[in-house]
Amino acid sequence: MNETREKTLVDILDKKMNRQLLYYLDICTRCSICKDACHQYVSTRDVLYLPAYRAELIRRVYKKYFTGMGQFIPALGEAREIDDKLLDELYQTTYACTGCRRCMFYCPFSIDTTWILSVAKAMLIAAGRGSQILAELSGASISKGENIDLFKDIIIDTLKSTEKELQEKVGDAKANIPIGKEGADTLYVALAGTHTILPAAIIFHQARVNWTLSLFEASNYGYFLGNVPQAKTIAQRIVDEARRLKVKEVVITECGHAYRVMSHFYETWAGEKHLFKVRSILEVIAEYIREGKIKLARGHVSKPLTYHEPCQVGRNAGFYEEPRYIVRQVASDFRELTPNRERNWCCGGGGGLVAEFEFDDLRIKTGERKVQQIRETGAEIVVSPCENCRLQLDTLNEKYNMEIEIISMMDLVVDAMVIDKAAN
Amino acid sequence: MNWFSFLAAGVLVYIAVAVFLFGTGYRVFQWFRVPRSGIRLGIFPQPRNKGARVLWMARDSFFFPQVLDVDRWMWLFVILLHLGGIAAFVGHLRIIQEFTPLVNALGDEGMAQFALWSGGTIGIILLVTVLYLLFRRFKSPYKDLSTPEDYFLLVLILVIILLGNHLRFFGDIHVADYREYLQSLLAFRPAFPEAIAESGTRWVLASHVLTANILLIYFPFSKLVHFIGAFAGNLLRSEKQ
């Protein structure tokens, strides 16, 4: 490794240094409690996937370049220089992490491993060793934002058939999917494709909401990649749109990370406050049901059903009650996974892993906990409000012959909705 | 006092205490010198208000109940190690100031018996827990994660405990003599009183103080800063979103 490159990478650690990170780097005692918290370590027994070890790689670099002890007695803390071997190890440990933060829950000092790994990602990117697939996906999102006029007509065209489906479902020939509607109350941000647009359109139509659809997809590969400027640019497309349309709230579709990016990260990245409320579709649906704006057929699903709690929805965003409230309205045989809520296991596909085929074997292997958890309940249907989780569950379903049905929360709701076509 | 005792149990004590205090202060200053990130890292569920947040932080820092889920033995040994450490610290305070109410209640002989039993029990608990933590690190995956610092600290603490236990169980030095030695330190004229100077265990005492000094000097620059940082980390855990 040449000296300028080494210096560049050290500078990144220096620039990224903040108080939270410094605490985390200084206080870890390497007690290894986190080993039993990580689904990847538990399934592989490989120290590379032990959360404290992943963090330790960055800690060793920090010791080498930023502490007196690392300068004078590097061997004591195994302080190490940045070299190609370290970067190889960093890539494997960092991009394999699903960012579920279960280790943070179990850590006696509450060390957020993902916070440390975000520095690792920044260093890898600067070394030209960031995840290529995630970088391409991130780049595609940004390019779509820059050339939206080219995409707009295609999007509107695609939605025409979706609009027809909507009209049939609700029995209203005037029902439509508004795009770029100024003065709408709600800007709904869906995923790429129409599968999260149609059910939302049905729900909004029935709840008589003055809404409009965002031209942009909610998912943010810049966030998974660990490239903050790109992640910010991707989220900013939506923020700018919300401002232009003067909406009161931005509702993010059922997706783990997109809600967090908009609600927990964006304001700090951009250094400005949101001029609108940010809500997850989960709380919005729960509210509509509570207020009687939409009606569901109670006990519509009688097959045993379980709820897989996406880490970014539960532990990292706090939506524990809303999904359960919705599920209980619809399913007569709802079975909880054990453990659940803040202790729930990651499905194994988070952090963009489902998009990175190089980690396919790892994510299939490390999904075994989730498979076991689901089997223990005897559930035939698994509902989960996160696209990454659902894709991972689909893979597990196939590879482990689980014979389960995997559905999204909105599909569950729409299937059970009581639609009075005469009233529309 | 011979030259070894004078250095190890005399001069070095001042240096160790100064390094520990200033070093710890410097480390805290280092943390506060770095700006905070505005991103809030809390996980859920979150406490209802600020008071609850402090209570949760204290609960997590002193009892770390979530560890019970994954490793009950580790939880037990770690709790015992820390409680033992605090108890040993409190026991040593008798050298500064006699626990007079206790002496009044138990009588001189009773107090000596009590000190022997309580100090002895704590010494054994510390010994067992440190050995557990040390041997744990000899096997994978703990071994793969451990750095020399981890072993160094555990061995150092083990030596301090062994020497302390030796003084407790086999020593012939009494608390009044220790008090006299401490007074000499406080007067900046370090000297062993006659009883210690003529005792066969004076080398053990000097080594006990020496190793404790090394621990104090290394403390602020090691992972042991978790004794302050743990509170910060556990407070971030519930940072409001």
Side-chain angles (χ1 to χ4, degrees), chain A residues 238-280:
Chain A
I238 300 161
V239 173
D240 289 345
E241 190 183 25
R243 287 191 172 175
R244 199 170 57 241
L245 302 178
K246 302 184 185 68
V247 297
K248 292 182 189 133
E249 63 171 6
V250 169
V251 172
I252 309 283
T253 192
E254 48 183 297
C255 167
H257 72 284
Y259 170 81
R260 283 187 71 211
V261 165
M262 197 55 85
S263 146
H264 298 176
F265 294 99
Y266 183 81
E267 287 172 307
T268 304
W269 288 344
E272 60 182 24
K273 287 269 169 212
H274 284 320
L275 300 173
F276 44 81
K277 251 165 76 177
V278 176
R279 292 210 290 168
S280 160

Coordinates of all heavy atoms in Angstrom, one line a residue, chain A residues 238-280:
Chain A
I238 N -36.6 12.9 -2.8 CA -38.0 12.8 -2.2 C -38.3 14.0 -1.4 O -39.4 14.6 -1.5 CB -38.1 11.5 -1.4 CG1 -37.8 10.3 -2.2 CG2 -39.4 11.4 -0.7 CD1 -37.4 9.0 -1.4
V239 N -37.3 14.5 -0.7 CA -37.5 15.7 0.1 C -37.8 16.9 -0.8 O -38.7 17.7 -0.5 CB -36.2 16.0 1.0 CG1 -36.3 17.4 1.7 CG2 -35.9 14.9 2.0
D240 N -37.1 17.1 -1.9 CA -37.3 18.2 -2.8 C -38.7 18.1 -3.4 O -39.4 19.1 -3.5 CB -36.3 18.2 -3.9 CG -34.9 18.6 -3.5 OD1 -34.8 19.1 -2.3 OD2 -33.9 18.3 -4.2
E241 N -39.1 16.8 -3.7 CA -40.4 16.6 -4.3 C -41.5 17.0 -3.3 O -42.5 17.7 -3.6 CB -40.6 15.1 -4.7 CG -41.8 14.8 -5.5 CD -41.9 13.3 -5.8 OE1 -41.3 12.5 -5.0 OE2 -42.5 12.9 -6.8
A242 N -41.3 16.6 -2.0 CA -42.3 16.9 -1.0 C -42.4 18.4 -0.8 O -43.5 18.9 -0.6 CB -41.9 16.2 0.3
R243 N -41.3 19.1 -0.9 CA -41.4 20.6 -0.8 C -42.1 21.2 -2.0 O -42.9 22.2 -1.8 CB -40.0 21.1 -0.7 CG -39.3 20.8 0.6 CD -38.0 21.6 0.7 NE -37.5 21.4 2.1 CZ -36.4 21.9 2.5 NH1 -35.6 22.6 1.6 NH2 -36.0 21.7 3.7
R244 N -41.8 20.7 -3.2 CA -42.4 21.3 -4.4 C -43.9 21.1 -4.3 O -44.6 22.0 -4.7 CB -41.8 20.6 -5.6 CG -41.9 21.3 -6.9 CD -41.1 20.7 -8.0 NE -41.4 19.3 -8.2 CZ -40.6 18.3 -8.1 NH1 -39.3 18.5 -7.7 NH2 -41.0 17.0 -8.3
L245 N -44.3 19.9 -3.9 CA -45.8 19.7 -3.8 C -46.5 20.2 -2.6 O -47.7 20.1 -2.5 CB -46.0 18.1 -4.0 CG -45.4 17.5 -5.2 CD1 -45.6 16.0 -5.2 CD2 -45.9 18.1 -6.5
K246 N -45.7 20.7 -1.7 CA -46.2 21.3 -0.4 C -47.1 20.3 0.4 O -48.1 20.7 0.9 CB -47.0 22.6 -0.7 CG -46.1 23.6 -1.4 CD -46.9 24.9 -1.6 CE -46.2 26.0 -2.4 NZ -46.0 25.6 -3.8
V247 N -46.6 19.1 0.5 CA -47.4 18.1 1.2 C -47.2 18.2 2.7 O -46.2 18.9 3.2 CB -47.0 16.6 0.8 CG1 -47.3 16.4 -0.7 CG2 -45.5 16.4 1.1
K248 N -48.1 17.7 3.5 CA -48.0 17.8 4.9 C -47.2 16.7 5.5 O -46.6 16.8 6.6 CB -49.4 17.8 5.6 CG -50.2 19.1 5.2 CD -51.6 19.0 5.9 CE -52.5 20.2 5.4 NZ -53.8 19.7 5.1
E249 N -47.3 15.5 4.8 CA -46.6 14.4 5.4 C -46.0 13.5 4.2 O -46.6 13.4 3.2 CB -47.4 13.5 6.3 CG -48.6 12.9 5.7 CD -49.3 11.9 6.6 OE1 -49.0 11.8 7.7 OE2 -50.3 11.2 6.1
V250 N -44.9 12.9 4.5 CA -44.3 11.9 3.6 C -44.5 10.5 4.2 O -44.1 10.3 5.4 CB -42.8 12.2 3.4 CG1 -42.2 11.0 2.6 CG2 -42.7 13.5 2.6
V251 N -45.2 9.7 3.5 CA -45.5 8.3 4.1 C -44.6 7.3 3.3 O -44.7 7.3 2.1 CB -47.0 7.9 3.9 CG1 -47.1 6.5 4.3 CG2 -47.8 8.8 4.8
I252 N -43.8 6.6 4.0 CA -42.8 5.7 3.4 C -43.5 4.3 3.4 O -44.0 3.9 4.4 CB -41.5 5.6 4.2 CG1 -40.9 7.0 4.5 CG2 -40.5 4.7 3.5 CD1 -40.3 7.7 3.3
T253 N -43.3 3.6 2.3 CA -44.0 2.3 2.2 C -43.3 1.4 3.2 O -42.4 1.7 3.9 CB -43.8 1.8 0.8 OG1 -44.6 0.6 0.7 CG2 -42.3 1.4 0.5
E254 N -43.9 0.2 3.3 CA -43.4 -0.8 4.3 C -42.0 -1.3 3.8 O -41.8 -2.0 2.9 CB -44.3 -2.0 4.5 CG -44.8 -2.6 3.2 CD -45.8 -3.7 3.5 OE1 -45.4 -4.7 4.1 OE2 -47.0 -3.6 3.1
C255 N -41.0 -0.7 4.5 CA -39.6 -1.0 4.1 C -38.8 -0.6 5.3 O -39.0 0.4 5.9 CB -39.2 0.0 2.9 SG -37.5 0.0 2.6
G256 N -37.8 -1.5 5.6 CA -37.1 -1.2 6.8 C -36.3 0.0 6.8 O -36.5 1.0 7.5
H257 N -35.3 0.1 5.9 CA -34.3 1.2 6.0 C -34.8 2.5 5.5 O -34.3 3.5 6.0 CB -33.0 0.8 5.3 CG -33.2 0.8 3.8 ND1 -33.8 -0.2 3.1 CD2 -32.8 1.7 2.9 CE1 -33.8 0.1 1.8 NE2 -33.2 1.3 1.6
A258 N -35.7 2.5 4.5 CA -36.1 3.8 3.9 C -36.7 4.7 4.9 O -36.5 6.0 4.9 CB -37.1 3.5 2.8
Y259 N -37.5 4.2 5.8 CA -38.1 5.0 6.9 C -37.0 5.6 7.8 O -37.0 6.8 8.1 CB -39.1 4.2 7.7 CG -39.6 5.0 9.0 CD1 -40.6 5.9 8.9 CD2 -39.0 4.7 10.2 CE1 -41.0 6.7 10.0 CE2 -39.4 5.5 11.3 CZ -40.4 6.4 11.2 OH -40.8 7.1 12.3
R260 N -36.1 4.8 8.1 CA -35.0 5.3 9.0 C -34.2 6.3 8.3 O -33.7 7.3 9.0 CB -34.1 4.1 9.5 CG -34.8 3.3 10.5 CD -33.8 2.3 11.1 NE -32.7 2.9 11.9 CZ -31.5 2.5 11.9 NH1 -31.1 1.4 11.2 NH2 -30.6 3.1 12.7
V261 N -33.9 6.1 7.1 CA -33.1 7.1 6.3 C -33.8 8.5 6.4 O -33.2 9.5 6.7 CB -32.8 6.7 4.9 CG1 -32.3 7.8 4.0 CG2 -31.9 5.5 4.8
M262 N -35.1 8.5 6.1 CA -35.8 9.7 6.0 C -36.0 10.3 7.4 O -35.9 11.5 7.6 CB -37.1 9.5 5.4 CG -37.8 10.7 4.9 SD -36.8 11.7 3.8 CE -37.1 10.9 2.2
S263 N -36.3 9.5 8.4 CA -36.7 10.0 9.7 C -35.5 10.1 10.7 O -35.5 11.0 11.5 CB -37.8 9.1 10.2 OG -37.7 9.0 11.6
H264 N -34.5 9.2 10.6 CA -33.4 9.3 11.6 C -32.1 9.9 11.1 O -31.3 10.3 11.9 CB -33.1 7.9 12.1 CG -34.3 7.2 12.8 ND1 -34.2 5.9 13.3 CD2 -35.5 7.6 13.1 CE1 -35.4 5.6 13.8 NE2 -36.2 6.6 13.7
F265 N -31.9 9.8 9.8 CA -30.6 10.2 9.3 C -30.6 11.5 8.5 O -29.7 12.3 8.6 CB -30.0 9.1 8.4 CG -29.7 7.8 9.1 CD1 -30.5 6.7 9.1 CD2 -28.5 7.7 9.9 CE1 -30.2 5.6 9.8 CE2 -28.2 6.6 10.6 CZ -29.0 5.5 10.6
Y266 N -31.6 11.7 7.6 CA -31.6 12.7 6.6 C -31.3 14.1 7.2 O -30.5 14.9 6.7 CB -32.8 12.7 5.8 CG -32.7 13.8 4.6 CD1 -32.0 13.5 3.5 CD2 -33.3 15.0 4.8 CE1 -31.8 14.4 2.5 CE2 -33.1 16.0 3.8 CZ -32.4 15.7 2.7 OH -32.2 16.6 1.7
E267 N -32.0 14.4 8.3 CA -31.9 15.8 8.8 C -30.5 16.2 9.2 O -30.0 17.3 9.0 CB -32.9 16.0 10.0 CG -34.3 16.1 9.5 CD -35.3 16.1 10.6 OE1 -35.2 15.2 11.5 OE2 -36.2 17.0 10.7
T268 N -29.8 15.2 9.8 CA -28.4 15.4 10.2 C -27.5 15.5 8.9 O -26.6 16.4 8.8 CB -27.9 14.3 11.1 OG1 -28.8 14.2 12.2 CG2 -26.5 14.6 11.6
W269 N -27.7 14.6 8.0 CA -26.9 14.6 6.8 C -27.1 16.0 6.0 O -26.1 16.6 5.6 CB -27.4 13.5 5.8 CG -27.0 12.2 6.2 CD1 -26.1 11.8 7.1 CD2 -27.6 10.9 5.7 NE1 -26.0 10.4 7.2 CE2 -26.9 9.9 6.3 CE3 -28.5 10.6 4.7 CZ2 -27.2 8.5 6.1 CZ3 -28.8 9.3 4.4 CH2 -28.2 8.3 5.1
A270 N -28.3 16.5 6.0 CA -28.5 17.7 5.2 C -28.4 18.9 6.0 O -28.3 20.0 5.4 CB -30.0 17.6 4.6
G271 N -28.4 18.8 7.3 CA -28.3 20.0 8.2 C -29.5 20.9 8.1 O -29.4 22.1 8.2
E272 N -30.7 20.2 7.9 CA -31.9 21.0 7.9 C -33.1 20.2 8.4 O -33.0 19.0 8.3 CB -32.2 21.5 6.5 CG -32.4 20.3 5.5 CD -32.6 20.7 4.1 OE1 -32.3 21.9 3.7 OE2 -33.2 19.9 3.3
K273 N -34.1 20.9 8.9 CA -35.2 20.2 9.5 C -36.2 19.9 8.4 O -36.4 20.6 7.4 CB -35.9 21.0 10.5 CG -35.1 21.1 11.8 CD -35.6 20.1 12.8 CE -34.6 19.9 14.0 NZ -34.5 18.6 14.5
H274 N -36.9 18.8 8.5 CA -38.0 18.4 7.6 C -39.2 19.5 7.7 O -39.5 19.9 8.9 CB -38.6 17.1 7.8 CG -37.7 15.9 7.3 ND1 -37.0 16.0 6.2 CD2 -37.4 14.7 7.9 CE1 -36.4 14.9 6.0 NE2 -36.6 14.1 7.0
L275 N -39.8 19.8 6.6 CA -40.9 20.7 6.7 C -42.2 20.0 6.7 O -43.3 20.5 6.5 CB -40.9 21.7 5.5 CG -39.6 22.6 5.4 CD1 -39.6 23.4 4.1 CD2 -39.5 23.5 6.6
F276 N -42.1 18.7 6.8 CA -43.3 17.8 6.7 C -43.1 16.7 7.8 O -41.9 16.5 8.3 CB -43.4 17.2 5.3 CG -42.1 16.7 4.8 CD1 -41.6 15.5 5.1 CD2 -41.4 17.5 3.9 CE1 -40.4 15.1 4.6 CE2 -40.1 17.1 3.4 CZ -39.6 15.9 3.8
K277 N -44.1 15.9 8.0 CA -44.0 14.8 8.9 C -43.5 13.6 8.1 O -43.9 13.5 7.0 CB -45.4 14.5 9.5 CG -45.5 14.8 11.0 CD -46.9 14.9 11.5 CE -47.5 13.5 11.7 NZ -48.9 13.6 12.3
V278 N -42.8 12.7 8.8 CA -42.4 11.5 8.1 C -43.1 10.3 8.9 O -42.9 10.2 10.1 CB -40.9 11.3 8.1 CG1 -40.5 9.9 7.5 CG2 -40.2 12.4 7.4
R279 N -43.9 9.5 8.2 CA -44.5 8.4 8.8 C -44.3 7.1 8.0 O -44.1 7.2 6.8 CB -46.0 8.7 9.0 CG -46.3 9.9 10.0 CD -47.6 9.7 10.7 NE -48.7 9.9 9.8 CZ -50.0 9.5 10.1 NH1 -50.2 9.0 11.3 NH2 -51.0 9.8 9.3
S280 N -44.4 6.0 8.7 CA -44.4 4.7 8.0 C -45.8 4.4 7.7 O -46.7 4.7 8.4 CB -43.8 3.7 8.9 OG -44.1 2.4 8.5

